[in-house]
């Protein structure tokens, strides 16, 4: 009889994933589905060989150093892994895996929602309905802007960036991007490469952030960067909140240098700078880029595949990031 692996599962997964976990693993889990502080998780991690976590579990160096020696693999059900100190994990010989690809389309869909919400003043328009302040149809009322007449600049033409570009083309947008290296023609698909961020900013009527959070990209959209955008640009961020300098973005939204912003991610989320809540030109969502039934099942299954592959398969993860 093959041995049943013992794992810690930090959050409640969609039902099909939970069914599989119950069938194929011995699961340790905390009570209730909410982010738990590490001391609580560590208390039940003893004897576990793997952990299934999400972006709500921050695994910093100190936490990783206190994990039981039995842990061999940390599988995060996310494409991003900036919540895990990879250097510390590597130093302990831990395998870390993520779930790329399966959330690309859902996140790209959401990015377009953010763009349309910001460009068409959805927050203000919805407030007219919710607060019963809708007067009459007006030739000059609630005017937004046509996204099809604007250029989109994508910072980070990876999987999600390319999927955003595909959708934006259907709206008639002209696509520009900046990656350190030019993407292959298939990915580029007619988009214009800029070898510097500054050059991209100069043409970005709509700036879409699709970069990972790394020491190089944190705070990259600061006052200097915002000053290089065309007047009245729109900022869209479905990647990570810490790519932007909040103070600079909020100032630009107040001054009108930025016409609007569509934001799904925030530095320090779920807490966010309260001014984002108050500004009428901010269309904000609570980090729901991958939040569709199908995609969350795929993400959960992928994380489980990674655990199974390491713990019951040949010891090799499918998508290692360490
Ligand atoms: C990710 O996967 O990194 C997202 O931010 C969560 O869906």
């Amino acid at each position: 009889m093959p041995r049943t692996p013992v794992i810690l599962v930090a959050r409640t997964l969609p039902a099909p994933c939970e069914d599989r976990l119950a069938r194929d693993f011995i699961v340790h889990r905390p009570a209730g589905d909410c982010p738990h502080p590490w001391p609580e998780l560590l208390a039940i991690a003893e004897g576990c060989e793997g952990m299934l976590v999400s972006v709500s579990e921050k695994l910093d160096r100190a936490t990783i150093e206190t994990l039981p020696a039995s842990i061999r693999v940390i599988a995060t059900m996310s494409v991003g892994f900036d919540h895990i100190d990879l250097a510390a994990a590597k130093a302990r010989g831990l395998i870390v895996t993520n779930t790329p690809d399966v959330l690309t389309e859902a996140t790209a869909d959401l990015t377009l929602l953010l763009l349309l919400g910001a460009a068409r003043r959805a927050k203000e328009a919805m407030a007219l309905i919710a607060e019963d302040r809708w007067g009459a149809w007006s030739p000059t009322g609630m005017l937004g802007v046509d996204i099809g007449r604007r250029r989109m600049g994508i910072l980070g033409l990876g999987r999600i960036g390319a999927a955003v570009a595909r959708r934006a083309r259907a709206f008639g947008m002209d696509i520009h991007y900046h990656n350190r290296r030019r993407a292959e023609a298939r990915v580029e698909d007619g988009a214009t490469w800029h070898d510097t961020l500054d050059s991209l900013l100069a043409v970005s009527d709509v700036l879409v952030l699709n970069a990972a959070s790394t020491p190089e990209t944190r705070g990259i959209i600061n006052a200097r960067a915002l000053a290089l955008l065309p007047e009245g640009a729109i900022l869209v961020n479905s990647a990570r909140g810490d790519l932007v300098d909040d103070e600079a973005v909020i100032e630009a939204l107040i001054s009108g240098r930025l016409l609007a912003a569509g934001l799904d991610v925030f530095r320090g989320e779920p807490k966010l700078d309260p001014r984002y809540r108050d500004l009428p030109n901010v269309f904000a969502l609570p980090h729901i880029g991958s939040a569709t039934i199908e995609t969350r099942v795929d993400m959960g299954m992928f994380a489980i595949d990674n655990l199974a592959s390491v713990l019951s398969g040949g010891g090799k993860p499918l998508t290692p990031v360490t």
Side-chain angles (χ1 to χ4, degrees), residues 78-80 103 240 287 290 299:
S78 60
V79 64
L103 47 75
R240 285 295 182 262
H287 201 153
S290 63
M299 290 165 72

Side-chain angles (χ1 to χ4, degrees), residues 128-151:
L128 292 182
I129 300 286
E131 295 161 17
D132 199 13
R133 291 189 288 109
W134 185 13
W137 187 93
S138 154
T140 56
M142 286 306 311
L143 303 186
V145 295
D146 285 334
I147 62 167
R149 300 189 200 205
R150 284 175 166 66
R151 296 162 295 184

Side-chain angles (χ1 to χ4, degrees), residues 55 77-83 99 103 107 238-240 265 269 287-291 296 299:
V55 291
M77 58 173 289
S78 60
V79 64
F81 41 80
D82 48 298
H83 53 298
T99 59
L103 47 75
T107 307
S238 59
R240 285 295 182 262
V265 286
E269 62 187 46
H287 201 153
I288 57 166
S290 63
R296 286 289 164 82
M299 290 165 72

Side-chain angles (χ1 to χ4, degrees), residues 190-222:
T192 305
W193 177 57
H194 293 254
D195 61 351
T196 65
L197 173 62
D198 287 6
S199 155
L200 176 76
L201 293 171
V203 299
S204 296
D205 301 315
V206 170
L207 177 65
V208 177
L209 307 182
N210 280 121
S213 168
T214 66
E216 293 76 47
T217 59
R218 274 171 216 138
I220 197 167
I221 303 305
N222 53 21

